[in-house]
Amino acid sequence: MAGSARDHAEVPGWIEPMLAKPDGGRLRSGPEWAYEYKLDGYRAAVRVAADGTTALTSRNGIDFTDEFPTLTGVLGAALDGRAAVFDGEIVVYDQAGRVDFGLMQDRRGRYRRHQSAGATRTFDDLPVRLLLFDLLSLGTESLLDQPYERRRDLLTGIAMPDPHLVSIVASVTFDQLAADRLTPDKLLRRVAAEGQEGLIAKHRTAPYVPGRRTDAWLKHALTHTQEVIICGWRPGQRSFENTLGGLLLGAHDPVTGDLVYLGDVGTGFSHRARDELKTQLRQLEQRAQPFAKAPPREDVARARWVRPTLVGEVEYRQFTSGDGRLRHTSWRGLRQDKSPSEVVAPHARSAEPEPATPGPPPRYVTVRVAERQLRLSNLEKPLYPDGFTKAQVIGYYSQLAPLLLPLLAGRPVTFVRYPDGTDGEGFYEKNAAAGAPAWLRTVSLTGSGSRGSGGPVNYPLIDDLPSLVWAANLAALELHVPQWTVTSDGARGIPDRLVFDLDPGEGATVVDCAAVATRIRDALVHDGLTPYATTSGSKGMQLYAGVPGGPRSTSAYAKALAERLARESPDRVTAKMTKALRAGKVFIDWSQNNPAKTTISPYSLRGRATPTVATPVTWDEVGACRREDELVFTAGDVAARVERFGDILAGLSQSGAGSP
């Protein structure tokens, strides 16, 4: 974390922001809802230490405190010596008193130019304001599990010290609207007349769920916006000669993860923006077009291709699913707070609003898998926001079964299920679900807690294709297993695998994890073990090694190695779980070797916005990693990788230490 003041204060840890889900065109209505204006700025976690020291963190965990110095001390006086974490938006207003994202982009561009020149400015002509809409912790109390209403009550109970710099976003309940003879639809019309972005409906009893989109926060936008990856540009003509004429846009296909062409944008740029973008893009130029499938030749005449690393945002009127194009686009600006891996192409929008009545009953199909007959339901149901369906989940697990099943065999499996998709609530499930088929193998083990306490748990054993398909049909997207197998008499066996879970703290990335992984590999090889690496499917990595049979304290060995690396590189590595100690470092979680712990299985999907996978990687890939997106793989990527590399973990699934 940058800035010496923040280095010496106990600033609370970053909390990944809860995200709003599109409402499908139907603004929710009823006494259980409250409504806030949809804001158009930079999302910010505002973390205030007890002494008033403040850190501002972007939606994706980037520290931008130094960019907004006027906001860094404003809340300390209002908290009476208490620490706090707020959620809000940093905005710039135009002369008409409307939040203007374009002006914010202009300010950011000027800031970056001054920063690169080593100069500092406050940009008094474009002052920023902090708009707060949630309170996530106060003093020593976490408020994440508290209902929205209580968090709002506590937030509004804090007197804002300077209304020019910070204020609280208004929240109006359905009942308050009714008292004013208004309805949510009438409020929406008022918002539209004011030129605002739209409304967000928030359920009054909902907790705050970090990093997730749920049905508790639903956004109703009055204009369509889309994040895009800049994949190329065209030189300007006529009045725009010698500058940038337009941009060629891309995004990741929601099913395959491929980079696909979305069309172009040629309006909405200021002269300054055209010149600045041209300068940036010239440094990224490459000869080949970056798309998985080449765009139509007539669409890309005079194109100059670039490495797809810059993310921007456009407004558009229509998305046509037939050719996958954005229509009537206008440029809004760069989004340095977003990474290319997050940018997913939109779906076609229905002209009909989402029906208010309950949907049709579940649809079933009976299939034969090996010698078993299974009844599968709702195969067309999307389980990921990008449209990846249950049928595709089942298809992925069926295709990867020959590689995945040896890694699960004999290990009690803990599911993380998402029956309403990853936008909904996920939950851990250890006991085999009610209604499990009689042929499903299970094992009853006592002591599921970290200290071996707890009653018996009837774990499923996923060791053949029918049981894997059965689990996928339950929307068991994540499969977690311990590093030991059950014995022939149904008891807990001796650990036969060693695992290191590498978790990047705030300010660190998977690139840092890769560097630490290489050092762990060298130590394991020195000790006669054969290490294998996987991504976590999230932000970090895991390292595995098979261990010979017989008694061995894998947990003690892993702890000793992790602590040794932490002593050798205290500025880059920590072996302690305390989140406050992880900033800028890689946490080596050795505790996953505790027999009561489980770790995401290699080749398992993850419950994220896109179907990312805990993916085995070669040591050449680990050593060459220089960007975060180089070690991010979706279900479609993994199938292609298996064709290229085969089973990278083949040696791990064999007994003993594995083969070199």
Side-chain angles (χ1 to χ4, degrees):
M1 185 182 297
S4 60
R6 296 194 298 282
D7 293 339
H8 296 289
E10 291 295 327
V11 176
W14 177 60
I15 298 172
E16 192 172 358
M18 183 172 175
L19 304 173
K21 182 179 179 181
D23 67 0
R26 180 172 65 89
L27 182 63
R28 299 305 192 263
S29 181
E32 68 273 24
W33 294 99
Y35 306 90
E36 298 176 8
Y37 277 33
K38 184 177 181 296
L39 303 174
D40 197 15
Y42 285 147
R43 186 79 176 270
V46 186
R47 302 179 290 135
V48 186
D51 66 356
T53 302
T54 302
L56 303 172
T57 311
S58 74
R59 174 181 177 271
N60 58 347
I62 297 172
D63 186 331
F64 54 12
T65 310
D66 295 332
E67 185 171 349
F68 305 106
T70 58
L71 303 179
T72 57
V74 66
L75 283 167
L79 292 171
D80 298 324
R82 296 171 294 178
V85 178
F86 299 88
D87 194 357
E89 199 101 358
I90 301 173
V91 301
V92 172
Y93 288 89
D94 64 15
Q95 293 300 315
R98 291 186 297 261
V99 173
D100 191 319
F101 185 77
L103 290 177
M104 175 63 88
Q105 287 294 98
D106 180 51
R107 187 187 189 281
R108 162 151 281 201
R110 290 160 61 186
Y111 167 78
R112 291 171 70 87
R113 288 195 303 275
H114 281 81
Q115 183 187 43
S116 63
T120 58
R121 277 193 57 186
T122 58
F123 305 105
D124 295 334
D125 59 322
L126 289 176
V128 291
R129 192 181 187 198
L130 180 59
L131 304 180
L132 303 176
F133 50 76
D134 218 321
L135 180 62
L136 311 187
S137 70
L138 184 61
T140 59
E141 181 185 6
S142 170
L143 304 175
L144 300 182
D145 293 331
Q146 296 298 314
Y148 168 82
E149 277 197 324
R150 180 168 187 264
R151 301 196 309 272
R152 286 287 310 192
D153 287 344
L154 291 170
L155 175 62
T156 55
I158 299 173
M160 295 294 106
D162 186 339
H164 295 283
L165 292 176
V166 59
S167 66
I168 297 172
V169 175
S171 171
V172 57
T173 67
F174 179 87
D175 291 339
Q176 288 169 333
L177 286 176
D180 291 335
R181 305 298 188 266
L182 292 173
T183 65
D185 286 333
K186 288 181 179 179
L187 177 63
L188 186 63
R189 287 196 290 272
R190 177 182 293 180
V191 167
E194 294 173 357
Q196 303 291 342
E197 286 285 301
L199 288 173
I200 297 182
K202 296 186 176 181
H203 203 284
R204 295 166 64 183
T205 65
Y208 190 98
V209 187
R212 298 288 304 281
R213 298 183 193 273
T214 78
D215 290 330
W217 286 16
L218 296 170
K219 58 183 177 183
H220 190 101
L222 293 170
T223 59
H224 299 319
T225 61
Q226 170 67 31
E227 292 156 11
V228 293
I229 303 171
I230 301 176
C231 297
W233 66 286
R234 291 192 189 93
Q237 295 179 300
R238 293 183 289 277
S239 61
F240 293 116
E241 190 174 0
N242 298 322
T243 187
L244 177 140
L247 300 175
L248 301 165
L249 312 175
H252 294 291
D253 183 278
V255 176
T256 66
D258 291 339
L259 184 62
V260 296
Y261 177 62
L262 287 185
D264 59 8
V265 59
T267 64
F269 303 95
S270 66
H271 286 290
R272 175 185 290 170
R274 290 182 189 274
D275 292 340
E276 291 175 352
L277 279 169
K278 179 182 176 182
T279 299
Q280 291 185 66
L281 294 174
R282 276 187 159 173
Q283 299 172 10
L284 299 174
E285 284 190 358
Q286 62 182 26
R287 296 187 63 182
Q289 61 87 12
F291 302 107
K293 180 181 178 182
R297 184 175 299 175
E298 61 272 16
D299 282 15
V300 295
R302 300 185 302 107
R304 298 188 181 180
W305 302 113
V306 299
R307 296 196 302 276
T309 58
L310 291 181
V311 175
E313 187 172 273
V314 297
E315 283 187 7
Y316 68 99
R317 294 185 194 171
Q318 184 184 23
F319 174 73
T320 53
S321 57
D323 58 3
R325 302 289 185 270
L326 301 175
R327 304 296 181 188
H328 311 291
T329 53
S330 177
W331 180 249
R332 284 169 57 84
L334 290 173
R335 295 302 304 255
Q336 281 93 358
D337 58 332
K338 303 292 177 68
S339 67
S341 62
E342 297 179 84
V343 180
V344 178
H347 295 288
R349 297 178 183 271
S350 170
E352 298 296 325
E354 180 183 329
T357 56
R363 285 183 282 179
Y364 297 94
V365 60
T366 300
V367 299
R368 192 165 187 82
V369 181
E371 75 280 13
R372 305 297 185 188
Q373 186 167 288
L374 293 171
R375 193 183 191 204
L376 308 180
S377 63
N378 293 327
L379 293 178
E380 73 285 358
K381 181 177 183 179
L383 293 183
Y384 290 84
D386 61 16
F388 200 78
T389 64
K390 184 191 283 190
Q392 290 170 304
V393 169
I394 294 173
Y396 166 77
Y397 275 129
S398 298
Q399 185 177 7
L400 271 292
L403 285 70
L404 173 59
L405 289 174
L407 299 167
L408 301 178
R411 301 178 194 276
V413 180
T414 297
F415 299 150
V416 183
R417 293 179 55 191
Y418 294 88
D420 295 320
T422 60
D423 272 350
E425 294 292 330
F427 60 92
Y428 283 84
E429 187 172 76
K430 296 182 178 182
N431 275 295
W439 47 260
L440 179 73
R441 289 187 64 221
T442 61
V443 61
S444 181
L445 296 171
T446 301
S448 59
S450 62
R451 299 180 182 274
S453 60
V457 176
N458 195 39
Y459 288 91
L461 295 173
I462 306 301
D463 50 13
D464 59 16
L465 182 58
S467 58
L468 183 60
V469 172
W470 168 79
N473 186 56
L474 294 177
L477 301 183
E478 296 190 4
L479 309 174
H480 295 247
V481 293
Q483 307 313 312
W484 47 268
T485 59
V486 295
T487 63
S488 58
D489 58 353
R492 177 183 291 170
I494 295 170
D496 63 346
R497 293 197 314 214
L498 178 71
V499 64
F500 294 87
D501 187 13
L502 308 184
D503 184 14
E506 180 186 351
T509 70
V510 72
V511 178
D512 302 288
C513 292
V516 174
T518 301
R519 295 179 60 194
I520 296 176
R521 176 202 60 186
D522 293 342
L524 295 178
V525 170
H526 179 270
D527 289 342
L529 299 175
T530 302
Y532 301 85
T534 74
T535 71
S536 68
S538 181
K539 299 178 181 178
M541 295 180 66
Q542 277 98 32
L543 267 68
Y544 291 89
V547 295
R552 172 180 290 212
S553 178
T554 53
S555 184
Y557 173 85
K559 180 181 180 182
L561 179 53
E563 290 179 341
R564 191 186 90 197
L565 293 181
R567 288 193 301 271
E568 292 173 354
S569 303
D571 57 332
R572 298 179 60 191
V573 176
T574 180
K576 295 184 178 180
M577 193 170 295
T578 307
K579 287 194 174 182
L581 301 177
R582 299 191 201 179
K585 302 178 184 179
V586 173
F587 169 48
I588 303 178
D589 187 356
W590 51 269
S591 71
Q592 297 293 307
N593 295 282
N594 183 314
K597 294 287 190 71
T598 61
T599 307
I600 189 74
S601 173
Y603 296 114
S604 173
L605 290 162
R606 299 305 302 261
R608 301 293 187 265
T610 56
T612 54
V613 175
T615 307
V617 290
T618 68
W619 283 110
D620 285 343
E621 290 177 297
V622 175
C625 180
R626 297 295 182 269
R627 300 194 318 270
E628 294 181 57
D629 59 357
E630 292 176 334
L631 291 182
V632 177
F633 306 100
T634 61
D637 297 325
V638 174
R641 287 174 59 80
V642 171
E643 291 183 6
R644 178 184 177 190
F645 294 112
D647 186 2
I648 294 174
L649 299 185
L652 180 63
S653 59
Q654 300 168 2
S655 61
S659 56

